Amino acid sequence: MVKISVLQHAPSTHLPARPGDPTPTSRNLDPLMHPFARARERTRALNAVKMERIFAKPFIAALEGHVDAVETMARKPGTLNVVASGSWDGGMIGKISGVCFADEDRLLTCGVDRNVKLWDTREVDENGAGPSDVRKPLNVFPGKSAFNSIDHHRTDPIFATASNIVQIWDETKSAPISNLSFPTSIETISAIKFNLSESSVLASIGSDRTFTLYDIRTGKAERRIVMQMRSNALSWSPTFPTTILLASEDHNLYTFDIRSLKTPSQIYKAHVAAVMSCDWSPTGHQFVSGGWDRTVRIWQEGRGTAPEVYHTKRMQRVTSTLFTSDAKYVLSGSDDGNIRIWKARAHEKLGILDSRERAAIEYRESLKQKWKTDAQVNKISRTRHIPKPVHKAGQLKRTMLEAQRVKEERRRKHTRAGESKPTAEKRKVVIAEQS
């Protein structure tokens, strides 16, 4: 038996020990010692993106109560769980075309009965009034024509309505205090919105394919553009005060910078029918749209293709969409009279997570971000199963657009050089700008 003398160091002097672990571990970070580390990481990224698609179950619940198409929705300021909706089942007064909150306890509605009504949303007021008293409006503002939209000023007790003209109302007066219209305007105003930052600026869209900016301080229309197709809805960005989103009849959505209205800053293409509604997320990084193609789509700001697609077998044409105040959920109202609640992130797990599960989810998210340019990972993450009619309509639309492109290319090829130049897609959207 031979005795060998060696030098020995205590592991605690040079290795970081984990709490409660008497045998600390060490790792050799030399890449030559781990030749398969990158392959293992890619496999984990593939598994992570596959798990995302497996657990993508966005539908949460359907809110019943309406018996006709849900025309408009509005979220209550300062809360996460209260939303007001207006439908075509307005009873004797006809359809409700506009809903907005005046403050946390009062609600404004308008419709084809030519009246704007102010309601108290509290179930029981300070005097102990019951629900029977709540059904009576606090005030009625009579108009001369049917109203199509309504929006309240962010701080002042005034609101704006849209009919054949834009009217500004004071809550303390029964008649409008000012009428706003473009000098040569003859259109019917279909939607209006106050700017979220510069609250004196008002935007509207009209039936003659126009988008108009107003300033209530000057009492007149400042600028207007005429587009190729009419817009059905508009929404101001909550983070960029000069950015506005338009949902168009030509199946696309457009974002404009109001400082330069000649061309849109971004075009969003995926719908295969008219886009009927749109709404920004409170974070400003996403927005939701609903279309005549019976789908709800969630877009990333600045990314004009490959949105998230939500649909059900029973959902009909989507007429209104809304983000909740915490940006975690999306609401959609459709022709079948239902308001559906969806998760903003289809694969997000609801409920309480322990620390290990949260760490695993964050690790998978980091892997997906790191490997998002990989062809196979990207293909799996972008794959969406959509209804067969929507898929066939998309194929037909792509065929028509390709035929139009080939036709224009051949026409330019057989004309004198320089006479016919290709036009950028963004420059085809706006026909004229007026001021």
Side-chain angles (χ1 to χ4, degrees), residues 145-434:
S145 58
F147 295 108
N148 299 319
S149 181
I150 188 171
D151 195 29
H152 197 276
H153 194 276
R154 191 163 188 178
T155 55
D156 299 340
I158 60 175
F159 60 92
T161 58
S163 53
N164 53 355
I165 58 174
V166 174
Q167 294 179 313
I168 307 299
W169 302 71
D170 192 324
E171 291 182 9
T172 61
K173 301 178 181 179
S174 59
I177 58 177
S178 65
N179 297 331
L180 307 180
S181 63
F182 204 78
T184 59
S185 174
I186 57 172
E187 83 275 15
T188 298
I189 309 299
S190 56
I192 54 171
K193 287 285 185 181
F194 276 105
N195 190 296
L196 301 178
S197 178
E198 188 60 49
S199 53
S200 60
V201 176
L202 184 69
S204 74
I205 51 177
S207 59
D208 60 349
R209 304 170 296 166
T210 57
F211 165 71
T212 312
L213 289 173
Y214 307 88
D215 193 331
I216 62 175
R217 294 169 296 188
T218 60
K220 63 179 183 179
E222 299 295 336
R223 300 167 66 190
R224 185 173 77 158
I225 58 173
V226 182
M227 304 176 65
Q228 286 282 356
M229 298 285 283
R230 63 167 289 181
S231 300
N232 295 316
L234 75 162
S235 178
W236 288 98
S237 172
T239 54
F240 296 97
T242 59
T243 300
I244 192 167
L245 174 67
L246 301 182
S248 179
E249 194 79 15
D250 62 358
H251 311 178
N252 298 333
L253 293 107
Y254 303 97
T255 51
F256 281 89
D257 190 326
I258 61 174
R259 295 170 295 184
S260 177
L261 293 174
K262 294 182 179 179
T263 58
S265 57
Q266 183 70 47
I267 303 177
Y268 299 86
K269 300 181 178 181
H271 282 282
V272 295
V275 188
M276 302 305 298
S277 62
C278 60
D279 185 57
W280 281 96
S281 164
T283 62
H285 299 306
Q286 293 177 307
F287 61 87
V288 61
S289 65
W292 212 247
D293 56 2
R294 306 177 185 179
T295 62
V296 175
R297 305 188 186 235
I298 299 179
W299 307 77
Q300 298 295 326
E301 194 273 333
R303 185 178 177 183
T305 57
E308 185 68 71
V309 184
Y310 295 163
H311 59 88
T312 65
K313 290 183 179 180
R314 297 184 179 182
M315 186 167 68
Q316 299 301 309
R317 295 167 295 196
V318 182
T319 52
S320 58
T321 51
L322 189 71
F323 254 102
T324 57
S325 299
D326 57 356
K328 286 188 175 182
Y329 304 99
V330 168
L331 283 79
S332 66
S334 54
D335 271 357
D336 56 5
N338 278 341
I339 297 176
R340 290 175 172 83
I341 305 175
W342 314 81
K343 290 188 289 188
R345 300 182 66 191
H347 63 282
E348 184 178 13
K349 184 177 180 180
L350 302 180
I352 300 175
L353 302 176
D354 59 21
S355 58
R356 292 187 63 183
E357 190 172 8
R358 186 180 296 107
I361 292 173
E362 292 175 356
Y363 177 61
R364 289 198 295 267
E365 291 293 331
S366 64
L367 284 178
K368 287 186 290 186
Q369 287 296 321
K370 183 177 180 179
W371 289 89
K372 63 181 179 180
T373 56
D374 183 84
Q376 194 171 357
V377 173
N378 188 35
K379 181 180 179 181
I380 296 173
S381 64
R382 294 182 60 179
T383 300
R384 299 292 184 274
H385 296 286
I386 59 177
K388 188 175 181 180
V390 177
H391 179 66
K392 292 294 184 182
Q395 286 182 329
L396 179 60
K397 182 180 177 181
R398 286 190 293 270
T399 302
M400 295 170 62
L401 292 176
E402 179 64 17
Q404 184 179 0
R405 185 193 66 81
V406 172
K407 183 177 180 180
E408 293 179 357
E409 186 176 335
R410 288 175 177 171
R411 182 181 288 116
R412 288 194 300 270
K413 183 178 179 180
H414 294 282
T415 55
R416 184 177 298 176
E419 287 189 359
S420 178
K421 296 182 180 180
T423 305
E425 192 72 19
K426 291 183 179 181
R427 296 187 178 275
K428 298 178 182 179
V429 178
V430 178
I431 298 177
E433 183 178 4
Q434 303 169 349

Side-chain angles (χ1 to χ4, degrees), residues 72 74 84-86 96-103 105-111 115-121 139-141 149-153 156-161 169-171:
T72 179
S85 62
I96 303 298
S97 56
V99 170
C100 72
F101 279 92
D103 51 36
D105 298 324
R106 296 180 304 151
L107 180 72
L108 284 165
T109 63
C110 67
N115 288 326
V116 176
K117 297 182 180 181
L118 180 65
W119 307 83
D120 191 344
T121 60
N139 200 356
V140 178
F141 305 89
S149 181
I150 188 171
D151 195 29
H152 197 276
H153 194 276
D156 299 340
I158 60 175
F159 60 92
T161 58
W169 302 71
D170 192 324
E171 291 182 9

